[in-house]
Amino acid sequence: MKHEYYMKEALKEAELAYSKNEVPVGCVIVYNDEIIARTHNLRESLNKALAHAEVLAIDEANRKLQTWRLDSCTLYVTIEPCPMCSGAIIQSRISNVIYGAKDYKAGMHSSISNMFELPLNHKVDIQGGVLEKESEMLMKKFFKELRKK
């Protein structure tokens, strides 16, 4: 139940991205049952390749906790993390990742590869499929509308 609550908050962020013509990905980071970071994709708005929801959320959480180590945090994101975001998650030492829908073009947990299974110095517990349909439908709607334009 708790996972669904936080994923709904991430979906609210994804909807904000959608309203800005950004790929609708939203993210929240939770520490001690409190949301300490909430962001959404801003790559188009900022013209920055690194402005993915997860990277922006990690940066916000680092500032809030005043440390680069987020080892007691859980990251909720509406879509399976890409290679860049997966690397940032591992490097920031996030303990848990919960995501909604799979990303069959760039997902690094179960869609393309599993970056989280590499023999790296930090292991992340990761789970997908939380509010999967809602996350997937928002992405499909966005890209359907984009193709019409």
Side-chain angles (χ1 to χ4, degrees):
M1 191 67 150
K2 183 167 57 170
H3 289 325
E4 287 186 8
Y5 170 79
Y6 292 122
M7 188 60 72
K8 284 179 183 175
E9 294 300 309
L11 276 164
K12 288 178 186 175
E13 288 295 320
E15 289 168 5
L16 284 173
Y18 185 96
S19 73
K20 297 175 182 178
N21 292 318
E22 295 278 356
V23 175
V25 178
C27 182
V28 299
I29 295 180
V30 176
Y31 175 74
N32 288 339
D33 293 324
E34 177 189 344
I35 295 174
I36 61 165
R38 56 172 65 239
T39 59
H40 52 274
N41 272 359
L42 288 172
R43 197 161 64 160
E44 299 296 329
S45 301
L46 299 177
N47 285 316
K48 292 186 177 183
L50 303 179
H52 284 204
E54 299 97 306
V55 172
L56 296 172
I58 288 168
D59 190 48
E60 188 176 316
N62 292 148
R63 280 193 308 273
K64 177 93 177 204
L65 296 179
Q66 298 182 339
T67 181
W68 65 268
R69 288 182 178 90
L70 302 177
D71 55 354
S72 297
C73 295
T74 299
L75 182 144
Y76 291 83
V77 63
T78 56
I79 194 93
E80 181 180 1
C82 74
M84 176 182 70
C85 294
S86 296
I89 289 164
I90 292 165
Q91 289 300 315
S92 66
R93 308 299 195 262
I94 288 174
S95 299
N96 304 292
V97 172
I98 310 296
Y99 67 89
K102 291 184 180 228
D103 181 351
Y104 295 104
K105 295 187 179 190
M108 284 290 114
H109 172 240
S110 63
S111 294
I112 301 294
S113 185
N114 191 344
M115 193 168 175
F116 298 96
E117 287 296 318
L118 293 174
L120 301 170
N121 65 336
H122 177 69
K123 294 294 178 196
V124 177
D125 289 327
I126 185 166
Q127 170 191 341
V130 176
L131 298 183
E132 182 175 15
K133 287 184 176 142
E134 293 87 338
S135 298
E136 187 177 309
M137 293 306 294
L138 188 59
M139 287 292 256
K140 285 182 177 181
K141 181 180 172 189
F142 175 81
F143 284 108
K144 185 177 181 180
E145 288 179 11
L146 188 63
R147 283 189 293 274
K148 284 182 183 178
K149 294 177 186 177

